[in-house]
Amino acid sequence: MLLLSLNAEYMPDLDSLLDALRHSNLYNRLWKQVATTSGVSHVALNAPVPALRNDGAGANVLRSPHDFMPLYGDFGPALLSSPEHDPTNLDFNDAFWASTLQNGIRQIWAPRYTMFSAGNVSEKTRILRMSSVQDAVRAGQLSGQGCSAIDLFAGIGYFAFSYIKAGVSNVLCWDLNPWSIEGLHRGAKANKWSTENMVTSNGSLPVQYAEQSSPTSMELPRLLVFNESNAHAGKRLDNLKNFVPPIRHVNCGMLPSSSQSWKVAIESISASLGGWLHIHETVDEKNKQARAKSIVDMVDKHYTNICKQEYGTPGEHVLLDHIERVKSIAPRLQHVVLDVWIPGRASSVSGRWIERSNSE
């Protein structure tokens, strides 16, 4: 597949030429020749994922590529891309599925219905090498419990797959877009990792999880997949707490901001061991440090309130461990990731209680 950038067609001279050819046989012959010369079966014009749906019905919550334009090859039928449309297996089978290999990890997606960001490869690579991920994996091996991670905006498995390859026992994945979820399943299968849909047709967990109330020897799939809003993550995690190894890393990967997910992300981190939030954000490069401080202050406020609700007293403070620049989005705008250490709430509060008792 060859994807052309938006500017490639919209250079003024080329745009005029293509407009003149668009409804002629020469137009199809042009893109066929481009495909043949490039050695690809499909050609399309790519474009940034719009913030709003193209039907005027509000925010593009599925992150669907509404402005994607097929130029040559069958990318699948034009389907309604909205939260109200539930694609069928026939729709999935009729679609064109592309694949790529990054860091030895296969990823698969349907370009007409879901996005793929090649610019995130540096962050995928960083997860594979991240010392905090390796520390969590080693600690899980020593304890015999293993460790888990969560991706609250999993997409086709961009970052979830890196956690699995890095040695994390299980990753819990949330995403609203059924096309992304299908791509995640296909990609995991290509990498020989097991998956399971965790939301049944009636909205409940699979029966084997609902019926068990204590830990069992049941082997979990490597990726537990939730095709629903991550607003349900807290309730799901409560129901799965006896099955899932301690959660040490949570990825909050929505741009321009993932702020609506921070509270549930903090609550999901192991209360006894602590862990890390990886917060993706769009920032002005001239205001990066100030914005980072503001984010950490908001996360710390959430953490303090959660400690007060659970234990009646504030815990320690969260800590900004690192700011990673992923890529430039526009002049002065950067995609960054903030690595924020979240202390274990139980140990943090216990330490505060001892400190307070000694001072009285």
Side-chain angles (χ1 to χ4, degrees), residues 68-79:
F68 179 86
M69 183 186 298
L71 298 173
Y72 179 78
D74 183 3
F75 284 87
L79 299 172

PDB file of all heavy atoms in Angstrom, residues 68-79:
ATOM      1  N   PHE A  68      -9.835  10.031   4.678  1.00  0.00           N
ATOM      2  CA  PHE A  68      -9.051   9.068   3.912  1.00  0.00           C
ATOM      3  C   PHE A  68      -9.686   8.907   2.525  1.00  0.00           C
ATOM      4  O   PHE A  68     -10.895   8.731   2.400  1.00  0.00           O
ATOM      5  CB  PHE A  68      -9.041   7.729   4.648  1.00  0.00           C
ATOM      6  CG  PHE A  68      -8.285   6.637   3.964  1.00  0.00           C
ATOM      7  CD1 PHE A  68      -6.921   6.496   4.166  1.00  0.00           C
ATOM      8  CD2 PHE A  68      -8.927   5.727   3.129  1.00  0.00           C
ATOM      9  CE1 PHE A  68      -6.210   5.473   3.554  1.00  0.00           C
ATOM     10  CE2 PHE A  68      -8.229   4.705   2.513  1.00  0.00           C
ATOM     11  CZ  PHE A  68      -6.863   4.584   2.727  1.00  0.00           C
ATOM     12  N   MET A  69      -8.863   8.978   1.458  1.00  0.00           N
ATOM     13  CA  MET A  69      -9.394   8.926   0.088  1.00  0.00           C
ATOM     14  C   MET A  69      -8.729   7.806  -0.713  1.00  0.00           C
ATOM     15  O   MET A  69      -7.570   7.919  -1.103  1.00  0.00           O
ATOM     16  CB  MET A  69      -9.171  10.263  -0.621  1.00  0.00           C
ATOM     17  CG  MET A  69      -9.761  10.314  -2.035  1.00  0.00           C
ATOM     18  SD  MET A  69      -9.333  11.860  -2.904  1.00  0.00           S
ATOM     19  CE  MET A  69     -10.118  13.062  -1.835  1.00  0.00           C
ATOM     20  N   PRO A  70      -9.435   6.695  -0.992  1.00  0.00           N
ATOM     21  CA  PRO A  70      -8.874   5.644  -1.852  1.00  0.00           C
ATOM     22  C   PRO A  70      -8.654   6.176  -3.264  1.00  0.00           C
ATOM     23  O   PRO A  70      -9.510   6.869  -3.824  1.00  0.00           O
ATOM     24  CB  PRO A  70      -9.963   4.567  -1.839  1.00  0.00           C
ATOM     25  CG  PRO A  70     -10.769   4.837  -0.607  1.00  0.00           C
ATOM     26  CD  PRO A  70     -10.751   6.327  -0.443  1.00  0.00           C
ATOM     27  N   LEU A  71      -7.515   5.868  -3.854  1.00  0.00           N
ATOM     28  CA  LEU A  71      -7.183   6.291  -5.211  1.00  0.00           C
ATOM     29  C   LEU A  71      -7.068   5.108  -6.170  1.00  0.00           C
ATOM     30  O   LEU A  71      -7.400   5.218  -7.339  1.00  0.00           O
ATOM     31  CB  LEU A  71      -5.870   7.087  -5.213  1.00  0.00           C
ATOM     32  CG  LEU A  71      -5.869   8.383  -4.397  1.00  0.00           C
ATOM     33  CD1 LEU A  71      -4.473   8.971  -4.343  1.00  0.00           C
ATOM     34  CD2 LEU A  71      -6.857   9.388  -4.977  1.00  0.00           C
ATOM     35  N   TYR A  72      -6.600   3.984  -5.659  1.00  0.00           N
ATOM     36  CA  TYR A  72      -6.476   2.794  -6.502  1.00  0.00           C
ATOM     37  C   TYR A  72      -6.541   1.556  -5.620  1.00  0.00           C
ATOM     38  O   TYR A  72      -5.926   1.509  -4.553  1.00  0.00           O
ATOM     39  CB  TYR A  72      -5.163   2.803  -7.278  1.00  0.00           C
ATOM     40  CG  TYR A  72      -4.985   1.581  -8.151  1.00  0.00           C
ATOM     41  CD1 TYR A  72      -5.651   1.473  -9.372  1.00  0.00           C
ATOM     42  CD2 TYR A  72      -4.174   0.526  -7.741  1.00  0.00           C
ATOM     43  CE1 TYR A  72      -5.510   0.337 -10.170  1.00  0.00           C
ATOM     44  CE2 TYR A  72      -4.023  -0.606  -8.531  1.00  0.00           C
ATOM     45  CZ  TYR A  72      -4.702  -0.699  -9.738  1.00  0.00           C
ATOM     46  OH  TYR A  72      -4.571  -1.814 -10.512  1.00  0.00           O
ATOM     47  N   GLY A  73      -7.302   0.557  -6.044  1.00  0.00           N
ATOM     48  CA  GLY A  73      -7.460  -0.669  -5.278  1.00  0.00           C
ATOM     49  C   GLY A  73      -8.731  -0.626  -4.435  1.00  0.00           C
ATOM     50  O   GLY A  73      -9.283   0.444  -4.155  1.00  0.00           O
ATOM     51  N   ASP A  74      -9.204  -1.772  -4.038  1.00  0.00           N
ATOM     52  CA  ASP A  74     -10.437  -1.895  -3.269  1.00  0.00           C
ATOM     53  C   ASP A  74     -10.106  -1.880  -1.782  1.00  0.00           C
ATOM     54  O   ASP A  74      -9.540  -2.831  -1.242  1.00  0.00           O
ATOM     55  CB  ASP A  74     -11.145  -3.199  -3.642  1.00  0.00           C
ATOM     56  CG  ASP A  74     -12.487  -3.355  -2.937  1.00  0.00           C
ATOM     57  OD1 ASP A  74     -12.888  -2.432  -2.201  1.00  0.00           O
ATOM     58  OD2 ASP A  74     -13.123  -4.408  -3.106  1.00  0.00           O
ATOM     59  N   PHE A  75     -10.458  -0.805  -1.107  1.00  0.00           N
ATOM     60  CA  PHE A  75     -10.217  -0.672   0.331  1.00  0.00           C
ATOM     61  C   PHE A  75     -11.419  -1.128   1.157  1.00  0.00           C
ATOM     62  O   PHE A  75     -11.392  -1.051   2.378  1.00  0.00           O
ATOM     63  CB  PHE A  75      -9.883   0.783   0.684  1.00  0.00           C
ATOM     64  CG  PHE A  75      -8.488   1.193   0.310  1.00  0.00           C
ATOM     65  CD1 PHE A  75      -8.206   1.669  -0.963  1.00  0.00           C
ATOM     66  CD2 PHE A  75      -7.453   1.104   1.229  1.00  0.00           C
ATOM     67  CE1 PHE A  75      -6.911   2.051  -1.316  1.00  0.00           C
ATOM     68  CE2 PHE A  75      -6.161   1.479   0.887  1.00  0.00           C
ATOM     69  CZ  PHE A  75      -5.894   1.952  -0.396  1.00  0.00           C
ATOM     70  N   GLY A  76     -12.467  -1.584   0.498  1.00  0.00           N
ATOM     71  CA  GLY A  76     -13.682  -1.967   1.195  1.00  0.00           C
ATOM     72  C   GLY A  76     -14.769  -0.933   0.981  1.00  0.00           C
ATOM     73  O   GLY A  76     -14.511   0.191   0.530  1.00  0.00           O
ATOM     74  N   PRO A  77     -16.011  -1.287   1.301  1.00  0.00           N
ATOM     75  CA  PRO A  77     -17.135  -0.375   1.064  1.00  0.00           C
ATOM     76  C   PRO A  77     -17.119   0.826   1.992  1.00  0.00           C
ATOM     77  O   PRO A  77     -16.511   0.794   3.066  1.00  0.00           O
ATOM     78  CB  PRO A  77     -18.354  -1.264   1.333  1.00  0.00           C
ATOM     79  CG  PRO A  77     -17.865  -2.298   2.294  1.00  0.00           C
ATOM     80  CD  PRO A  77     -16.444  -2.570   1.893  1.00  0.00           C
ATOM     81  N   ALA A  78     -17.774   1.887   1.554  1.00  0.00           N
ATOM     82  CA  ALA A  78     -17.932   3.071   2.390  1.00  0.00           C
ATOM     83  C   ALA A  78     -19.008   2.782   3.427  1.00  0.00           C
ATOM     84  O   ALA A  78     -20.194   2.702   3.112  1.00  0.00           O
ATOM     85  CB  ALA A  78     -18.316   4.276   1.532  1.00  0.00           C
ATOM     86  N   LEU A  79     -18.589   2.603   4.682  1.00  0.00           N
ATOM     87  CA  LEU A  79     -19.518   2.264   5.762  1.00  0.00           C
ATOM     88  C   LEU A  79     -19.665   3.435   6.716  1.00  0.00           C
ATOM     89  O   LEU A  79     -18.768   4.270   6.850  1.00  0.00           O
ATOM     90  CB  LEU A  79     -19.004   1.040   6.535  1.00  0.00           C
ATOM     91  CG  LEU A  79     -18.846  -0.251   5.733  1.00  0.00           C
ATOM     92  CD1 LEU A  79     -18.154  -1.306   6.585  1.00  0.00           C
ATOM     93  CD2 LEU A  79     -20.203  -0.762   5.269  1.00  0.00           C
TER      94      LEU A  79
END
